Amino acid sequence: MTTKTNIKTSDEMEMLELLESRLRWLSSWTVHNANHIREKRDGLKVGGHQASCSSMTAIMAALYFHALRPQDKVAVKPHAGPVLHAIHYLLGNQTREKLDRFRGLGGVQSYPSRTKDTIPVDFSTGSVGLGVAITAFSSLMQDYLIAHGQMEENEAGRMIALMGDAELDEGNIYECLIEAYKHNIRNCWWVVDYNRQSLDSTTADRMFRRFDDIFETCGWRVVTLKYGKRQQAAFKKPGGKTLEQWIDSCPNADFAALTYQGGAAWRERLLADIGKKPNVKKLISSFDDDALANLMTNLGGHCVETLSEAFDRCDDDRPTLFIAYTVKGFGLPLAGHKDNHSGMMNPTQMDGYRKSLGIAEGAEWDAYGGLGDNAAAQLKAFVENSAMAKKNGESKAEQIPVPARFATPSGDAQSTQAAFGKILLDLAKSGDAIGDRIVTTAPDVTQTTNLGAFVNQRGLFRRQEVADVFQQAKIPSAQKWSAHAAGQHIELGIAENNFFLMLASMGLTAPHFGTRLLPVGTVYDPFIARGLDALNYACYQDSRFLLVGTPSGLTLGPEGGAHQSINTPLVGMGQPGLVYMEPVWADEVAVMMRWAFDHMQQEDGSSVYLRLSTRSIPQIERDNDHWEADALKGAYWLREPAPGAAAAIAFTGAIGPEVLRAYDALVADIPGLGVLNVTSPDLLHRGWSDQRAARWQGQDLYPCHAKKMLDQLSPDAGLITILDGSPSALSWLGAVNGLTVSPLGTDRFGQTGDLPDLYNQYRIDETAIIEAAAELFLS
């Protein structure tokens, strides 16, 4: 890892203090402008978090303009987003126009966003806790690339999270800590804005030492920054030790209230509590009210010198938690008030704040307003010469060649899950570049989701080699999982939040580190729901990965209701940044996987979700491969309907055999009956939605793929839809051409049983399809 020599001078500290003041002003003004000056056409509060920004400004000034190196990456506390934009405004990366439209269309987003903001954003944040934990997994991926010779050790940076103390309530933080400890992560800093106030309450006093214990137990260095330099100087004076002890024992709620009340309240309380102790009254009397208030709030998180020294002392690769004591609303009239989380300064308060900084009316957006010409020039030069100003944009990684075709696994009967595992093994053995760039992970379900063969071939990733004890002892086992630096599977415990954050980090290696990986993650399909927030977070960042949910649906049989996924097709259809596909046969798996690895690398691509099954079904013979193009658009005719046919069956997934048996039973009574294999309800629905929207967006109308398929039927035809999942994933097809629909699927929790019983009980068997067809013609 490259290190920089941090030279802390009084001139630099003066510049950082000026920067801290500028960041506090610009972030406060951005929020104020959006709420009090910009026209409100809907009358709604725009919002923003002036108090949450002001508690972070010194931390971010010291980090970005003293400690940060070009290769470091930062996840910024969601509510401090305006401070990040203020930094880039000073660096010339952000425009006044976008700041002026904060939380408006085309303007600065509420929370830092990789995909919606135009400034460099390393990690999107917003759902608290996730932006913190992802930095640990990104540090692991950095080590993975170094170990695989795809990144130089001296290019390694720190993955840094700036977090609010309320984020320490998020359970995913502690799930992540356990995984990070197991993998011995390094080059990770978490900096806590410890203002001890959240939206609803003040942080419990007894929690402080617990955070130390938890992190130290997990191998982290904990650095507590409680006092600023002025406080430290006061503690050295006669009576100072008593004052320090009083601050240490002061309840968080009392400290916040006194901060809001100001210097006179501080004086009254201190004299009442410790005024009779030796030298205390004289010490307190040496400060006027304003100076006393400034002294009492000169906490470590507001002192750029204290912060800079702490960052410098930790110039190694050990994971570190910095607990920086701060005041929520520091420097603002809101400071310390328990309601300040969503509160903001009124126009009178804002005007007073502007005047206190010497900023002329009308010059509020000036980058260095309120400073004299010399000070402004010096600060501008300081910013322009910072390491951050020299940071390059994100790298554009080369695409990994994908073979023109993936071989279809052989076998008269097989499941889509088994086919997936065989194809992955073939890629691992192929010697093609794609095999070296695939990296896999699973939340403790590697064996049962058919990743095992790939892991046997490529090994587990660990920075330090770990022998397979069973293999060494010559104990027979299907798993031959040695762990070493060249391994390509990252083992995770059974925590789906970690799983999706790991996938997010894997899928961001191209923009983050300039090296593209092809991540593949497997999870039990019903347990996708356990990590939905993290999945959404990964997709929001435009991370690219192949998610395999398997096994799925009632077809799990004896596993019972808790393991039988119902709504995952709707999750796949509703999740932006993710294409959901569901194959029936092994050749479809091969086509879809090949498409997915290519699609993941395209500029307009996305992540892909395959919903697979453990049901072994007879494979079908194909006369040609003409079906493939339509399958990749979302559907193809498995049984072509006659022109103007009166009915068709549209199905998805593992119930294919029941559909074909029902077709054989019905086709004599319904001549020309068609069978539409909907390989992606998601792509099909998206195309239909786009067509509908095109009419109102001034774009050319074009027939979507669903319409092209269904146009082969009679305008008054009936449609039977069926899948092992929520019926609404397919029943919308009737709206494309106004067809009558008889929908089948599962909309209740399942139960244990074998497939004949369950399919009959939940009406997704051959009999149910025949009855649904009768219903179409009887109604």
Side-chain angles (χ1 to χ4, degrees):
M1 171 174 59
T2 58
T3 60
K4 78 171 193 178
T5 304
N6 291 312
I7 302 173
K8 182 172 64 65
T9 67
S10 58
D11 287 344
E12 184 191 13
M13 293 304 105
E14 183 180 352
M15 291 297 101
L16 290 176
E17 287 174 355
L18 287 175
L19 263 175
E20 187 273 335
S21 177
R22 295 308 304 153
L23 297 179
R24 188 168 3 116
W25 164 257
L26 286 169
S27 57
S28 296
W29 178 253
T30 297
V31 176
H32 179 81
N33 175 74
N35 286 274
H36 293 287
I37 297 176
R38 195 173 72 209
E39 179 188 6
K40 288 193 186 71
R41 295 179 298 174
D42 54 15
L44 297 177
K45 173 184 174 182
V46 176
H49 300 84
Q50 290 174 332
S52 294
C53 286
S54 63
S55 62
M56 285 290 293
T57 49
I59 294 171
M60 293 179 71
L63 180 69
Y64 276 83
F65 295 99
H66 175 79
L68 216 59
R69 304 159 305 174
Q71 67 268 40
D72 297 338
K73 302 191 187 325
V74 186
V76 175
K77 183 181 82 168
H79 294 155
V83 183
L84 178 65
H85 289 279
I87 287 172
H88 283 286
Y89 186 58
L90 297 179
L91 287 166
N93 299 325
Q94 185 56 281
T95 66
R96 170 180 169 175
E97 289 72 25
K98 287 192 176 293
L99 289 177
D100 188 55
R101 294 200 299 274
F102 171 65
R103 294 195 171 195
L105 186 63
V108 165
Q109 298 296 298
S110 304
Y111 311 120
S113 171
R114 285 182 52 81
T115 54
K116 304 295 184 182
D117 282 317
T118 53
I119 64 168
V121 175
D122 297 320
F123 301 96
S124 298
T125 53
S127 185
V128 293
L130 299 181
V132 178
I134 194 173
T135 58
F137 294 109
S138 290
S139 72
L140 178 59
M141 289 318 299
Q142 182 174 245
D143 280 337
Y144 179 94
L145 295 176
I146 291 170
H148 283 75
Q150 294 161 349
M151 182 178 178
E152 295 297 327
E153 176 76 34
N154 61 11
E155 296 174 353
R158 291 192 189 94
M159 305 297 117
I160 302 169
L162 302 177
M163 60 191 294
D165 51 357
E167 292 189 84
L168 288 167
D169 291 339
E170 286 288 347
N172 77 279
I173 294 287
Y174 304 100
E175 291 179 345
C176 165
L177 273 183
I178 295 169
E179 206 62 61
Y181 179 74
K182 182 172 76 180
H183 286 283
N184 193 25
I185 69 152
R186 55 187 186 138
N187 291 321
C188 191
W189 282 2
W190 290 356
V191 185
V192 183
D193 169 15
Y194 197 61
N195 60 51
R196 292 149 291 156
Q197 286 183 260
S198 60
L199 178 59
D200 290 337
S201 65
T202 303
T203 303
D205 300 280
R206 67 198 302 261
M207 287 305 301
F208 170 64
R209 273 300 306 163
R210 300 288 72 75
F211 296 138
D212 281 30
D213 292 345
I214 292 167
F215 279 82
E216 287 170 352
T217 297
C218 290
W220 288 56
R221 170 174 50 207
V222 179
V223 177
T224 301
L225 307 174
K226 189 166 187 179
Y227 308 113
K229 291 295 183 181
R230 291 201 301 277
Q231 283 188 342
Q232 293 174 44
F235 297 158
K236 294 177 182 178
K237 296 179 179 180
K241 191 65 178 175
T242 303
L243 177 62
E244 180 181 6
Q245 292 169 348
W246 183 91
I247 293 174
D248 280 345
S249 61
C250 180
N252 291 335
D254 288 11
F255 193 94
L258 289 166
T259 296
Y260 180 73
Q261 291 172 301
W266 278 116
R267 187 180 306 279
E268 181 181 354
R269 176 67 178 270
L270 289 170
L271 290 176
D273 287 0
I274 56 174
K276 294 181 180 179
K277 298 290 181 69
N279 302 308
V280 171
K281 185 174 182 179
K282 181 179 179 182
L283 175 62
I284 293 172
S285 298
S286 67
F287 298 93
D288 63 24
D289 283 353
D290 287 344
L292 183 60
N294 288 336
L295 173 68
M296 297 303 291
T297 57
N298 178 235
L299 301 177
H302 296 306
C303 177
V304 292
E305 187 173 358
T306 297
L307 288 159
S308 298
E309 288 179 352
F311 293 150
D312 289 352
R313 286 196 303 271
C314 300
D315 196 16
D316 54 31
D317 65 5
R318 185 177 176 187
T320 302
L321 177 75
F322 297 92
I323 300 177
Y325 273 72
T326 61
V327 170
K328 195 164 187 174
F330 179 76
L332 306 180
L334 312 168
H337 197 287
K338 71 172 186 173
D339 299 334
N340 66 13
H341 181 84
S342 298
M344 58 188 69
M345 289 179 279
N346 61 40
T348 300
Q349 291 173 320
M350 196 71 193
D351 192 55
Y353 181 37
R354 175 186 62 77
K355 290 175 180 176
S356 73
L357 296 175
I359 297 172
E361 192 169 1
E364 292 88 353
W365 289 113
D366 288 2
Y368 301 100
L371 302 176
D373 290 344
N374 288 339
Q378 288 177 337
L379 187 56
K380 187 172 185 291
F382 179 77
V383 169
E384 290 174 348
N385 290 322
S386 66
M388 280 302 297
K390 299 177 176 62
K391 185 171 182 175
N392 296 324
E394 290 187 335
S395 304
K396 191 169 181 63
E398 294 292 323
Q399 288 198 14
I400 301 161
V402 179
R405 296 190 69 83
F406 287 177
T408 298
S410 59
D412 293 336
Q414 55 186 308
S415 69
T416 51
Q417 178 181 300
F420 156 76
K422 292 173 184 176
I423 293 167
L424 210 56
L425 177 60
D426 286 346
L427 294 175
K429 292 179 173 180
S430 67
D432 293 335
I434 189 173
D436 295 331
R437 294 302 183 93
I438 291 173
V439 55
T440 62
T441 190
D444 199 36
V445 291
T446 301
Q447 300 176 63
T448 49
T449 56
N450 279 74
L451 277 183
F454 179 87
V455 180
N456 278 349
Q457 187 70 23
R458 293 286 179 153
L460 297 166
F461 171 72
R462 284 292 175 88
R463 284 197 293 123
Q464 291 82 30
E465 187 165 348
V466 180
D468 185 330
V469 175
F470 277 72
Q471 188 177 9
Q472 286 186 336
K474 297 182 179 179
I475 300 173
S477 171
Q479 304 170 45
K480 299 177 178 61
W481 292 1
S482 58
H484 46 78
Q488 290 178 233
H489 176 78
I490 297 181
E491 178 195 9
L492 294 176
I494 189 164
E496 282 74 14
N497 264 294
N498 282 344
F499 168 70
F500 283 115
L501 290 173
M502 184 76 257
L503 278 179
S505 297
M506 290 173 169
L508 287 173
T509 57
H512 274 173
F513 307 114
T515 298
R516 189 183 303 277
L517 296 176
L518 295 175
V520 178
T522 60
V523 62
Y524 285 171
D525 194 65
F527 299 146
I528 285 176
R530 294 173 62 171
L532 275 181
D533 191 15
L535 171 60
N536 182 66
Y537 173 72
C539 293
Y540 181 62
Q541 302 198 78
D542 196 26
S543 178
R544 305 293 181 85
F545 49 84
L546 174 59
L547 168 65
V548 176
T550 184
S552 62
L554 285 171
T555 308
L556 269 166
E559 289 286 345
H563 283 63
Q564 294 167 349
S565 50
I566 298 167
N567 66 341
T568 47
L570 299 180
V571 170
M573 293 175 69
Q575 178 60 58
L578 186 72
V579 172
Y580 151 55
M581 309 181 93
E582 187 162 352
V584 189
W585 293 285
D587 56 359
E588 293 176 355
V589 178
V591 169
M592 290 178 187
M593 285 181 67
R594 192 265 162 211
W595 180 87
F597 284 130
D598 180 73
H599 181 72
M600 287 157 57
Q601 302 184 66
Q602 300 307 314
E603 194 72 27
D604 60 349
S606 70
S607 292
V608 178
Y609 158 42
L610 295 183
R611 187 173 187 253
L612 305 183
S613 174
T614 48
R615 184 187 186 190
S616 182
I617 63 175
Q619 301 299 291
I620 59 174
E621 292 186 8
R622 308 277 191 181
D623 295 329
N624 53 59
D625 59 7
H626 298 167
W627 59 274
E628 294 180 3
D630 281 346
L632 294 175
K633 295 175 184 176
Y636 69 94
W637 286 112
L638 184 63
R639 297 289 185 266
E640 192 85 19
I649 305 168
F651 80 99
T652 291
I655 44 78
E658 283 67 31
V659 170
L660 290 178
R661 286 199 299 270
Y663 169 84
D664 290 340
L666 288 168
V667 70
D669 294 326
I670 310 176
L673 177 68
V675 176
L676 186 67
N677 183 357
V678 181
T679 51
S680 175
D682 182 21
L683 287 177
L684 214 56
H685 185 270
R686 195 176 307 178
W688 180 56
S689 297
D690 288 347
Q691 178 190 321
R692 305 291 295 176
R695 181 189 307 275
W696 311 109
Q697 294 173 349
Q699 300 173 0
D700 292 335
L701 293 176
Y702 59 94
C704 65
H705 190 62
K707 184 166 177 55
K708 286 181 181 178
M709 295 287 104
L710 297 177
D711 276 351
Q712 298 186 47
L713 305 177
S714 167
D716 57 357
L719 193 63
I720 303 147
T721 62
I722 180 169
L723 75 162
D724 187 1
S726 173
S728 52
L730 290 181
S731 59
W732 61 271
L733 280 168
V736 175
N737 279 348
L739 305 180
T740 301
V741 174
S742 185
L744 300 174
T746 58
D747 54 9
R748 294 170 290 151
F749 287 114
Q751 57 188 297
T752 56
D754 64 11
L755 291 192
D757 280 346
L758 290 179
Y759 278 18
N760 175 263
Q761 179 75 20
Y762 293 88
R763 300 197 73 249
I764 57 171
D765 62 357
E766 173 188 346
T767 301
I769 298 170
I770 294 170
E771 291 172 350
E775 185 179 72
L776 286 175
F777 293 99
L778 291 174
S779 59

